[in-house]
Amino acid sequence: MKVLLIGASGYIGSAVSAHLADAGHRVVALVRAADRQDAGHEQRVGDLADPASLTRAVTPDIDAVVNLAPPTGDATVDAAAVTALTDPLRGTGRAFVYASGVWVLGATGPAAADENAPVNPVPIVGYRPAIERQVLDTAEVGVRATVIRPGIVHGNGGGIPALLVDLARKHGTPTYIGKEAVHWPMVHVDDLADLFVATVEKAPAGSLWHGVAESAVPVRDLAAAAGAAAGVDGEPRSWPLEDARAELGAPFADALALDQTVSGDAARESLGWLPRRAGAVADVRELSYPQVDTDGIEVFGAADGQQADVEAIVRFVAGVQHAQQNELVDAFMSNFRTQHPVWTTGHGKRLSGWDEIDAFTRRVLPGATKQSTATYEVVRILFVRPDIAAVNVRQRPVTLDGQPLEDQPEGRPMYVLAKDNGRWRIAAAQNTQVFSG
Ligand SMILES: NC(=O)c1ccc[n+]([C@@H]2O[C@H](COP(=O)([O-])OP(=O)(O)OC[C@H]3O[C@@H](n4cnc5c(N)ncnc54)[C@H](OP(=O)(O)O)[C@@H]3O)[C@@H](O)[C@H]2O)c1
């Protein structure tokens, strides 16, 4: 499909853009300024505040429109934008996906809110339920209109968790907003992007989905993880709501103080959505948010400005380690390219193609770390091309509490990583066990 994406340069939009491209779709980005040089997709100029520019962008070759731009703050402008974007789709059955958010549900308390729960929006999203209704009503005039309400999004070092990391640094202690008993519904940005792709491809007209992988994560745990990512010790402490309001503005602070439990089961059951990335606490503590130390890694062939790729590769390998250590089969498999990957195990078994690797991983990974596990350390990166890297890793067996196991062989994996649509993944991998004597 050819998909017009509004907000393609944003935090969620850039992940959605990459996942759409991975799934074989063509992304057309609606950008606000003509001179923007976004990575690799066609661009059309437009602005939510200029309805004519939106209608112009929805040409007959556009099969689906995804609106990931935040509300403008003016209900009339946002309503006019929806009309302008959906008018050209009337009677066509083509898709229109609108990103809302779980804050329209207000404080839910401990009972999980599903898509049938009543809305009770906090002021920052005050008019959003009306926009959701306007979008869904276009199903009656032949638009395949859908709404996704993401939870709080984490991953790739961005979004609201980055604010918790900054707060920990600034306050010198792990910090959450408001009350300790608050929970946030969370979703990894790559899992959320998978949901947008599934919705574009197959969600029925008039449907509403919660993009939530973990229904209620204690903010205290997130604050502790953010403190660890920031290198700040101590027990998490509350940032009193009044102080947070003064600094962040009352509407944003009040939304962050919401205690919510939100179910994302419907999308799993009906769309086959499978959130498989690391949970929010592990992601914030160990993976996407801590600063990466690249000292001591030998790097060859790097172009100017490729330090970000070195860091991304170190984070990538940390993700492989996390999936292995926690026996997360789906998370482990999300590290492979889907196009003909190959993996030769430390015992010399060659697994050819995604299905063979998947079947093998499902058989051997569950239960594999009952007695011991392993750490993965990047030691050498060769950029064969800017988007292809050969990565040597030292894999050390350790006890479950991290003590080295000297009597077990180390591994020397070599990963050939390819960067597709901005993300590194394994094209080929070979492990070698080390026997020295
Ligand atoms: N992040 C979360 O945790 C979260 C959770 C729930 C819901 N959401 C919702 O998801 C959506 C995307 O969030 P995000 O975090 O990805 O936001 P973001 O990083 O701020 O990105 C916003 C994107 O929208 C574009 N944009 C902003 N105003 C626009 C306008 N008037 N016309 C056209 N494009 C415009 C921006 O383009 P420029 O590059 O030109 O600025 C940017 O590409 C929002 O509706 C947000 O409320 C986010």
Side-chain angles (χ1 to χ4, degrees):
M1 288 188 205
K2 196 166 179 181
V3 184
L4 180 72
L5 183 54
I6 301 148
S9 62
Y11 174 48
I12 302 173
S14 46
V16 171
S17 170
H19 284 238
L20 282 167
D22 273 356
H25 302 296
R26 279 171 61 199
V27 173
V28 178
L30 184 110
V31 296
R32 288 197 274 189
D35 58 350
R36 283 193 76 118
Q37 289 302 313
D38 281 349
H41 32 240
E42 186 187 331
Q43 296 184 348
R44 294 180 185 175
V45 176
D47 192 309
L48 281 194
D50 174 5
S53 72
L54 303 177
T55 303
R56 244 191 338 264
V58 189
T59 44
D61 57 331
I62 295 292
D63 301 299
V65 178
V66 178
N67 183 5
L68 266 157
T72 61
D74 181 332
T76 317
V77 170
D78 285 20
V82 170
T83 304
L85 288 168
T86 54
D87 269 357
L89 304 176
R90 279 171 166 249
T92 66
R94 286 183 274 156
F96 180 74
V97 184
Y98 173 72
S100 178
V102 292
W103 287 342
V104 297
L105 295 163
T108 65
D114 66 13
E115 288 78 354
N116 297 314
V119 293
N120 178 22
V122 279
I124 197 169
V125 291
Y127 65 83
R128 263 199 148 168
I131 301 291
E132 290 184 347
R133 270 197 309 279
Q134 182 192 355
V135 169
L136 295 176
D137 283 350
T138 64
E140 284 163 26
V141 294
V143 181
R144 189 159 62 82
T146 52
V147 170
I148 296 177
R149 291 179 183 153
I152 307 272
V153 186
H154 65 95
N156 298 344
I160 289 172
L163 172 76
L164 292 183
V165 176
D166 284 348
L167 275 180
R169 263 195 211 109
K170 211 164 124 200
H171 293 193
T173 187
T175 303
Y176 51 85
I177 296 103
K179 297 197 176 124
E180 183 177 353
V182 160
H183 300 79
W184 288 350
M186 304 293 298
V187 62
H188 192 285
V189 69
D190 285 319
D191 285 328
L192 180 62
D194 286 341
L195 177 59
F196 273 87
V197 174
T199 305
V200 164
E201 289 176 347
K202 59 184 175 200
S207 59
L208 164 70
W209 308 99
H210 287 169
V212 171
E214 297 177 285
S215 55
V217 179
V219 285
R220 194 179 192 284
D221 295 353
L222 288 166
V232 168
D233 291 330
E235 283 295 300
R237 284 221 301 262
S238 165
W239 190 19
L241 188 53
E242 281 315 312
D243 296 353
R245 288 174 130 208
E247 205 165 310
L248 303 176
F252 187 36
D254 288 352
L256 294 173
L258 281 178
D259 181 29
Q260 294 195 299
T261 308
V262 179
S263 167
D265 288 350
R268 287 179 169 88
E269 285 157 19
S270 301
L271 298 176
W273 180 46
L274 178 65
R276 44 193 186 150
R277 276 75 185 187
V281 170
D283 187 38
V284 174
R285 181 183 291 275
E286 300 165 36
L287 300 175
S288 301
Y289 295 83
Q291 272 190 350
V292 165
D293 181 6
T294 59
D295 286 356
I297 300 175
E298 291 181 90
V299 179
F300 300 90
D304 279 351
Q306 263 199 303
Q307 177 60 18
D309 280 314
V310 173
E311 290 175 17
I313 287 170
V314 173
R315 284 187 199 283
F316 175 86
V317 172
V320 174
Q321 171 183 289
H322 177 81
Q324 283 273 8
Q325 290 186 343
N326 295 282
E327 301 181 0
L328 304 172
V329 173
D330 292 310
F332 183 76
M333 289 309 300
S334 72
N335 294 315
F336 286 88
R337 292 180 97 217
T338 48
Q339 304 93 323
H340 319 296
V342 59
W343 175 26
T344 306
T345 70
H347 295 98
K349 186 175 174 58
R350 194 184 70 223
L351 304 162
S352 181
W354 205 90
D355 289 344
E356 272 189 27
I357 300 171
D358 186 61
F360 179 82
T361 305
R362 273 177 211 288
R363 195 153 44 76
V364 303
L365 188 54
T369 62
K370 256 191 214 129
Q371 275 147 22
S372 65
T373 182
T375 58
Y376 291 62
E377 180 197 349
V378 176
V379 291
R380 185 184 197 274
I381 301 175
L382 164 64
F383 288 99
V384 181
R385 288 194 332 214
D387 58 345
I388 308 271
V391 180
N392 293 97
V393 172
R394 181 174 183 193
Q395 184 190 40
R396 276 188 265 206
V398 292
T399 61
L400 295 180
D401 56 5
Q403 301 307 312
L405 281 165
E406 312 290 357
D407 56 336
Q408 287 190 21
E410 291 196 5
R412 292 282 185 274
M414 211 267 273
Y415 303 138
V416 177
L417 303 185
K419 190 179 183 185
D420 300 318
N421 301 309
R423 292 169 309 136
W424 290 98
R425 278 177 307 168
I426 298 172
Q430 169 113 24
N431 200 355
T432 306
Q433 286 196 0
V434 180
F435 294 97
S436 53

